[in-house]
Structure formats: structure tokens, C-alpha cells
Amino acid sequence: MKNTTRPVGPRLAASLLAIVAAGAAVGMTAAEPAESLESRPARSSRAADLEPVFGETIRLFDGKSLDGWRAYYTDGSTDASKAWSVREGILVCAGQPIGYLQTERLYENYELI
């Protein structure tokens, strides 16, 4: 069977990441950081308990710096400023080197707002 998938080009990858980052720039509502899930008590199986309970709103991007973010590039480097910058409150990707940007903290059960 022939593989018909194509790799994503750097411009498309940067555009997609910029879209995700733009959503993150607004902030997100997190139930809790993923690191603390082990300490959470087990939930009841009642239907009423299945409704989501959101915690405080956490701003992922301060609009001024790359604080709280880390980068990973295909060349093994991790300096976020090699490809990322902040201009007029917007997270901007230069497109090179190829890699990605993610928050320093891990989250799960979240809603981007």
C-alpha cells in the first residue's frame, strides 16, 4: 500500500501554530494543571458529577514576552527567541528554524477562550 500522506511545509506549520497561539493569547480556563491529577480524589459515577467544573482562568501569553513558553527545534536547540518573538502583543513565528512552541506547564481538561 502506497503512503499518500505529505509532510506539512514550514509555512503551513508556522501558520497553524500561530493560529493555536493566537487562541492561547486570549487565555484558557483550566480545571487544574495535569501534574496534580494524581492527588485528586476519585469522582462518583452519578450523572450529575459528569458536568465539567472549571477552575480559574489562566493567561498563557502575557502579550509582552515568551515567559512561560519553551521551544523545541529539529536541530536540537531550545532557544525560543531563535524563531519566536512578540510584536505589538502578538506571538510571531519567523518560520525558521523548524520546530514548535509549547507552554512550560502541562494542562489537561481545558477550554481555550
Side-chain angles (χ1 to χ4, degrees):
M1 182 177 208
K2 184 178 180 182
N3 183 357
T4 58
T5 60
R6 294 184 303 171
V8 174
R11 284 189 180 179
L12 178 58
S15 297
L16 292 174
L17 188 52
I19 290 168
V20 171
V26 176
M28 80 175 202
T29 302
E32 60 190 75
E35 292 89 354
S36 65
L37 291 177
E38 293 80 29
S39 63
R40 186 170 73 183
R43 293 186 61 174
S44 150
S45 62
R46 292 185 353 194
D49 289 338
L50 298 178
E51 293 298 318
V53 177
F54 294 104
E56 66 180 292
T57 299
I58 301 170
R59 293 189 64 81
L60 299 178
F61 177 57
D62 64 10
K64 301 173 189 171
S65 69
L66 297 172
D67 291 346
W69 294 86
R70 59 182 166 198
Y72 297 93
Y73 301 107
T74 55
D75 66 5
S77 62
T78 59
D79 179 11
S81 66
K82 286 176 67 174
W84 295 92
S85 62
V86 178
R87 284 190 223 140
E88 298 178 15
I90 299 172
L91 195 56
V92 178
C93 178
Q96 291 293 326
I98 297 172
Y100 62 91
L101 190 68
Q102 72 178 41
T103 58
E104 289 177 349
R105 292 188 64 188
L106 301 176
Y107 299 93
E108 78 177 29
N109 298 327
Y110 58 87
E111 177 183 13
L112 290 175
I113 55 172

